[in-house]
Amino acid sequence: MKRVFSGYRPTGDVHLGNYLGAIRNCVFLQKEMDENLICVVDLHAMTTLSDNKNLASDTLMMAAAFIASGIDPNRSIIFAQSHVPLHLELSWIFSCLTPLGWLNRMTQFKEKADKNRENSCLGLLAYPVLMAADVLLYKATHVPVGEDQKQHVELMRDLAGLFNRTFSKDLFSLPEPVITGPATRIMSLRDGASKMSKSDISDYSRINLMDDADTLAIKIRKAKTDTDPLPDTAKGLETRPEARNLVSIYAALSGQTADQICQKFAGNNFSTFKEDITNLLIEHILPIGQEIQRLLKEGKHLESILKTGAERANLLANKHMNDVREAVGLLKAL
Ligand code: AMP
Ligand code: TRP
């Protein structure tokens, strides 16, 4: 059984990094996998609770973004994490197994907790444990994510192995990260050294799936570049992070390789290249944003998709959780 699980935090606008880095891979995998679970991880979004005033509406927006990107509710199980409480039960069981040293080593925790570790919440440290529970609750085999989540997927593999060894049962197989394509780590448009992210205060740092054509054009025009002309091979991009990022975006949207793109624009400055990127965004991203807007007007329809998704997910989760409870020795409830 090949089963995909992928999760997305509902923390405001969905951006190009989410789409090209992960959502699109779920769309591709939908055709070749037996089961596809795509989840709005609203409980994960709670680690930034104070910034998240619109958790419920952002959850609907994320579900709309999945569907607008090509996730088919008939082929895939689309649901909200908090609608399947068993994620939390499994997360607790894993919490009782996970060595603190593993969590302290997580780069995302180190970055987010920064120098304020003593005041960071427990949820931030436990974040990868809940993520492991998300995936292993369904015995998922494939996990499409961006490059930044690689370490978290490694931790869930380690945890699956630790569980199996501790309870002498081969309950969990090791899920594979799916980190493929030219855009596994899209960088900020303002700074080639930091990741495109929702938390960047400048909206000009990212392309949102809901940006209109003018906004897309302005953001690309203003995107930081250097003063050299484009090189004739991708190798020439190695020390030019901003140019490399734009070429990766172009490659992901056009299906061309970085070398083909460099050959096409070699020796030119960035203006025609940027115009072409804008056109690609207008062709590929604008219709997704328009579809999200349309779906959001049908809130009840989205809610019913999430309801059906949660029913299907709960069924699977219940079945697996019974095996886990038995393995860890809990008394069976009558
Ligand atoms: P998040 O919005 O942090 O919940 O991320 C959801 C998914 O999008 C995860 O698989 C991330 O790895 C992926 N992702 C987020 N930002 C980027 C980015 N800048 N480039 C590529 N993938 C990303
Ligand atoms: N941790 C992921 C992120 O920050 C989101 C996530 C939560 C996830 N649970 C998941 C991704 C399970 C893949 C599988 O982007």
Side-chain angles (χ1 to χ4, degrees), residues 107-152:
T107 40
Q108 188 167 300
F109 174 68
K110 286 198 271 193
E111 274 164 28
K112 290 200 174 169
D114 203 20
K115 295 184 185 70
N116 206 7
R117 203 174 265 227
E118 288 298 307
N119 288 320
S120 298
C121 67
L122 173 61
L124 200 59
L125 183 68
Y127 184 104
V129 180
L130 178 59
M131 180 166 165
D134 294 342
V135 171
L136 296 174
L137 183 57
Y138 301 97
K139 297 192 179 161
T141 53
H142 294 77
V143 187
V145 279
E147 179 70 39
D148 62 322
Q149 295 301 310
K150 194 170 174 204
Q151 198 186 28
H152 287 164

Side-chain angles (χ1 to χ4, degrees), residues 8-9 15 17-18 145-146 148-149 184 186 195-196 198:
Y8 302 84
R9 289 174 307 142
H15 59 75
N18 299 137
V145 279
D148 62 322
Q149 295 301 310
T184 55
I186 297 274
K195 196 184 68 161
M196 182 178 286
K198 287 172 237 186

Side-chain angles (χ1 to χ4, degrees), residues 6-23 39 41 44-45 62 66 108 112 127 131 143-150 153 178-179 183-188 194-198 245:
S6 191
Y8 302 84
R9 289 174 307 142
T11 43
D13 285 324
V14 194
H15 59 75
L16 193 65
N18 299 137
Y19 174 68
L20 294 177
I23 300 177
C39 182
V41 288
H44 275 107
M62 191 49 94
F66 295 159
Q108 188 167 300
K112 290 200 174 169
Y127 184 104
M131 180 166 165
V143 187
V145 279
E147 179 70 39
D148 62 322
Q149 295 301 310
K150 194 170 174 204
V153 180
V178 181
I179 305 174
T184 55
R185 187 175 177 83
I186 297 274
M187 308 310 280
S188 154
S194 53
K195 196 184 68 161
M196 182 178 286
S197 102
K198 287 172 237 186
N245 189 39

Side-chain angles (χ1 to χ4, degrees), residues 19-140:
Y19 174 68
L20 294 177
I23 300 177
R24 204 168 64 151
N25 284 338
C26 291
V27 177
F28 296 149
L29 285 171
Q30 227 178 185
K31 299 194 182 75
E32 41 181 279
M33 296 283 153
D34 301 307
E35 216 150 27
N36 200 42
L37 290 114
I38 183 154
C39 182
V40 189
V41 288
D42 48 358
L43 299 172
H44 275 107
M46 294 185 81
T47 57
T48 47
L49 201 55
S50 47
D51 308 331
N52 260 38
K53 303 282 183 286
N54 309 311
L55 200 51
S57 58
D58 285 346
T59 298
L60 286 179
M61 188 187 6
M62 191 49 94
F66 295 159
I67 299 166
S69 302
I71 300 289
D72 174 354
N74 296 315
R75 278 175 184 255
S76 295
I77 301 178
I78 301 174
F79 71 108
Q81 186 186 32
S82 66
H83 296 177
V84 185
L86 290 182
H87 288 242
L88 294 171
E89 185 179 336
L90 186 56
S91 177
W92 174 254
I93 292 176
F94 285 163
S95 294
C96 297
L97 279 179
T98 316
L100 275 180
W102 290 8
L103 299 176
N104 277 321
R105 276 199 292 277
M106 292 293 109
T107 40
Q108 188 167 300
F109 174 68
K110 286 198 271 193
E111 274 164 28
K112 290 200 174 169
D114 203 20
K115 295 184 185 70
N116 206 7
R117 203 174 265 227
E118 288 298 307
N119 288 320
S120 298
C121 67
L122 173 61
L124 200 59
L125 183 68
Y127 184 104
V129 180
L130 178 59
M131 180 166 165
D134 294 342
V135 171
L136 296 174
L137 183 57
Y138 301 97
K139 297 192 179 161

